[in-house]
C-alpha cells in the first residue's frame, strides 16, 4: 500500500531523534534485520523514511509488551514485506490496545525525549488539551499509550478544534460499539459456565479489535475516495 504524500527523508541521527532511541539502537536493529536498509543518497549518506519510523515505534511497542528480541524478529518476519508507514501504524495500534494503562510523571526534558522531538509551549498546551499530558508543579503526568499518537497529531494540518471534535466523535462511537458488542456477547454466553465465558472473551477480544480497526480503515478510505472524486 502506498501513499501520495512525499515524506521527508531522515538521516540516521534524525531518525533516532524522532523515534526517541539512540543511533546505536537503530544500527543494532538494522544488523538484526528488524529495519530495512536505508536508501543511499549522495555522498553515501543513508536516508530513512516514515516506514522506518513506524517500524521503530512497532518494535518499541512489542518490547513494552514483554516480547524478546527473537520473538520480535519472528513477528516482523511474518508481516508482508511491502507494508507502508500507515499499515505498520495499524499493527502497532493493535498491539498497543492490549497494553495496560501506563501513566508516568516526567520532567519536561524526559517528556521531549519520550516524544522524540522538542516541544514548544503551544505543543504542550495542545497535548494537554487532547488529554495526553497533565501539567503539574514543574513536571508532567503523561499517558504513554497516547503520547506517540498525540505527538503525531501535532503535525496534522487540522485546527486544534477539529482534532478535539474528531476525538469526541471517536470516543462516542467507539463506546457505543463496545456497548453493543458487549451486550451481544453477554446474550450469547449468558447460559454458559464462567470458564467458558472467560475463554470466549480471551479469544474474541483481539479479533474484535482487529475487526474494528480494519473496518474503520476501509470505511475511512471509502469516504476519502468519495470526497476526492466528488465535484467541488
Amino acid at each position: 500500500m502506498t501513499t501520495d504524500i512525499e515524506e521527508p527523508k531522515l538521516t540516521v541521527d534524525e531518525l533516532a531523534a524522532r523515534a526517541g532511541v539512540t543511533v546505536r539502537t537503530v544500527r543494532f536493529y538494522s544488523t538484526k534485520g528488524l529495519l530495512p536498509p536505508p536508501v543511499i543518497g549522495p555522498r553515501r549518506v543513508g536516508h530513512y523514511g516514515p516506514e522506518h519510523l513506524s517500524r521503530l515505534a512497532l518494535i518499541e511497542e512489542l518490547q513494552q509488551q514483554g516480547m524478546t528480541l527473537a520473538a520480535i524478529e519472528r513477528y516482523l518476519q511474518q508481516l508482508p514485506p511491502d507494508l507502508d508507514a500507515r499499515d505498520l501504524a495499524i499493527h502497532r495500534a493493535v498491539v498497543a490496545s492490549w497494553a495496560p494503562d501506563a501513566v508516568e510523571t516526567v520532567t519536561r526534558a524526559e517528556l521531549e525525549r519520550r516524544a522524540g522531538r522538542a516541544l514548544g509551549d503551544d505543543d504542550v498546551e495542545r497535548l494537554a488539551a487532547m488529554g495526553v499530558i497533565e501539567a503539574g508543579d514543574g513536571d508532567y503526568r503523561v499517558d504513554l499509550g497516547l503520547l506517540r499518537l498525540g505527538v503525531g497529531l501535532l503535525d496534522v494540518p487540522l485546527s486544534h478544534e477539529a482534532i478535539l471534535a474528531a476525538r469526541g466523535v471517536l470516543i462516542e462511537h467507539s463506546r457505543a460499539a463496545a456497548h453493543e458488542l458487549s451486550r451481544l456477547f453477554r446474550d450469547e454466553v449468558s447460559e454458559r459456565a464462567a470458564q467458558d465465558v472467560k475463554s470466549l472473551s480471551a479469544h474474541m477480544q483481539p479479533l474484535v479489535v482487529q475487526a474494528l480497526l480494519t473496518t474503520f480503515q476501509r470505511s475511512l478510505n471509502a469516504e476519502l475516495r468519495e470526497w476526492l472524486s466528488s465535484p467541488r
Side-chain angles (χ1 to χ4, degrees):
M1 184 179 297
T2 59
T3 60
D4 296 328
I5 299 175
E6 182 67 25
E7 295 286 351
K9 299 302 181 181
L10 307 171
T11 66
V12 65
D13 297 275
E14 292 168 336
L15 175 68
R18 288 278 297 272
V21 299
T22 65
V23 171
R24 182 178 180 181
T25 297
V26 172
R27 289 177 172 153
F28 174 72
Y29 289 159
S30 297
T31 61
K32 288 291 186 180
L34 302 181
L35 285 178
V39 176
I40 304 301
R43 302 178 184 177
R44 304 293 298 170
V45 175
H47 292 282
Y48 299 82
E51 67 281 356
H52 293 91
L53 194 59
S54 291
R55 192 170 285 261
L56 283 172
L58 176 57
I59 292 171
E60 178 188 15
E61 196 66 56
L62 293 170
Q63 286 180 322
Q64 290 180 359
Q65 294 287 340
M67 290 182 66
T68 64
L69 200 61
I72 292 174
E73 185 175 359
R74 290 194 298 270
Y75 180 94
L76 295 178
Q77 287 174 346
Q78 294 173 1
L79 299 180
D82 58 344
L83 294 184
D84 63 12
R86 182 176 61 176
D87 299 321
L88 290 167
I90 291 174
H91 275 275
R92 179 183 175 273
V94 173
V95 174
S97 66
W98 307 116
D101 294 340
V103 178
E104 292 186 12
T105 300
V106 299
T107 64
R108 177 68 171 263
E110 178 63 12
L111 175 63
E112 293 186 345
R113 190 190 72 78
R114 296 289 186 95
R117 57 183 282 182
L119 298 172
D121 291 340
D122 289 343
D123 295 331
V124 171
E125 289 180 5
R126 293 187 70 184
L127 290 174
M130 286 186 279
V132 176
I133 65 174
E134 180 182 338
D137 186 13
D139 53 27
Y140 302 87
R141 284 175 51 82
V142 55
D143 187 328
L144 299 179
L146 294 177
L147 181 59
R148 193 173 294 276
L149 172 63
V151 170
L153 287 173
L154 294 177
D155 297 325
V156 174
L158 290 174
S159 68
H160 184 52
E161 292 75 14
I163 290 175
L164 292 182
R167 177 175 180 267
V169 169
L170 289 173
I171 290 175
E172 177 185 356
H173 289 280
S174 61
R175 284 178 176 170
H179 175 75
E180 290 300 318
L181 288 171
S182 295
R183 183 178 60 81
L184 176 65
F185 294 148
R186 281 198 302 268
D187 293 343
E188 180 70 18
V189 302
S190 59
E191 302 300 326
R192 300 191 186 186
Q195 187 60 37
D196 292 337
V197 173
K198 184 177 180 180
S199 177
L200 178 63
S201 176
H203 283 85
M204 285 301 299
Q205 195 173 1
L207 297 177
V208 168
V209 172
Q210 181 94 47
L212 286 172
L213 284 169
T214 303
T215 303
F216 177 76
Q217 182 192 23
R218 291 176 178 173
S219 298
L220 184 59
N221 286 340
E223 288 289 332
L224 289 174
R225 284 196 298 269
E226 182 179 346
W227 175 50
L228 293 173
S229 62
S230 63
R232 291 179 176 81

